[in-house]
Amino acid sequence: MLQFLADPAVHLAVNPLDASSLLAAFGALGIAVVLFAETGLLVGFFLPGDSLLFTAGLLCVPGATKGPQLELWQVLPAALVGALAGAQVGYVIGRRGGRALLRRTKRKSLLEGVERAEELLAKYGHGKAIVLARFIPVVRTVLNPLCGVLEVPVRSFTFWQVAGGALWSVGVVLAGYALGSSIPSIDQYLLPIIGLVVVVSVLPIVLEVFRARKARRHGGDA
């Protein structure tokens, strides 16, 4: 960590879209910061939350990879704090800033995320939607401020975001840890595994896009 701070060249080498790069540079602290930004600040929608958590779990297994060695007792609290604090801040931002804050952006992915988040809330209700959103990239970024905009009761939002945030952050880390513990020499499969995690995490968005297009097509035919 001290070497990172002392060497400006390392700053330039950090890739915010690469989980391994972030973990090598910042360790457990980076997990908390990234999850806070992804779940609480609209500018963090592009950050690799799922792959970051899964990779962190892998790196907690002693000798499992050639990457930086992390400690599970540090990673789990960092992931939990970042995920829970970020969601709560996002809710407060939405409550104070209003819907205009979400629609001020011209990014199509964020606007689609808002639409999907509204559909989740309408279809499943507050509790289930808040929990499910944790597992859908972009949606977990916009749902928290959207709940603030819609004035979801604070106690209800806090309860469900804590439940969903704990299930997501701790669950994905432990999944990575369990896989790293059960497969010898997992280092040689690291990139394909992380790639699979990324694909699985964006699959709900892809399916939703196709569903929306199909619905619009059928609506036009009618």
Side-chain angles (χ1 to χ4, degrees):
M1 184 65 178
L2 292 177
Q3 182 181 1
F4 167 78
L5 294 174
D7 187 358
V10 181
H11 288 267
L12 299 177
V14 177
N15 180 359
L17 301 179
D18 180 15
S20 298
S21 176
L22 286 167
L23 291 169
F26 301 107
L29 177 62
I31 298 172
V33 173
V34 168
L35 295 191
F36 179 87
E38 190 196 16
T39 59
L41 308 177
L42 291 176
V43 295
F45 72 94
F46 63 90
L47 293 170
D50 295 305
S51 59
L52 184 74
L53 290 170
F54 194 85
T55 304
L58 286 174
L59 295 178
C60 287
V61 180
T65 73
K66 297 178 182 178
Q69 182 65 53
L70 301 179
E71 299 291 341
L72 195 62
W73 66 270
Q74 294 178 335
V75 168
L76 288 177
L80 195 59
V81 168
L84 302 189
Q88 207 67 29
V89 168
Y91 174 84
V92 173
I93 290 175
R95 190 106 179 193
R96 295 182 178 180
R99 187 177 293 270
L101 182 63
L102 290 171
R103 292 188 171 171
R104 187 177 301 169
T105 178
K106 296 181 180 179
R107 291 184 178 275
K108 186 178 179 181
S109 57
L110 272 182
L111 295 176
E112 290 176 347
V114 171
E115 182 179 347
R116 176 58 175 148
E118 290 177 324
E119 290 178 359
L120 279 176
L121 287 168
K123 184 176 181 179
Y124 297 109
H126 297 158
K128 189 178 290 187
I130 292 169
V131 173
L132 288 175
R134 287 289 191 172
F135 297 87
I136 307 175
V138 182
V139 176
R140 65 171 162 259
T141 302
V142 300
L143 186 84
N144 301 316
L146 185 62
C147 284
V149 170
L150 299 177
E151 297 187 351
V152 174
V154 177
R155 289 186 178 180
S156 176
F157 174 80
T158 301
F159 175 82
W160 289 112
Q161 78 93 348
V162 168
L167 182 64
W168 173 62
S169 59
V170 174
V172 177
V173 169
L174 291 181
Y177 184 83
L179 189 66
S181 301
S182 59
I183 300 179
S185 304
I186 197 173
D187 194 51
Q188 57 185 317
Y189 310 112
L190 187 57
L191 288 179
I193 289 173
I194 294 176
L196 180 62
V197 171
V198 172
V199 170
V200 171
S201 67
V202 301
L203 190 59
I205 295 179
V206 175
L207 293 176
E208 178 58 27
V209 169
F210 280 112
R211 186 197 68 79
R213 288 180 178 176
K214 184 177 180 181
R216 284 197 295 266
R217 217 168 26 240
H218 288 174
D221 293 339

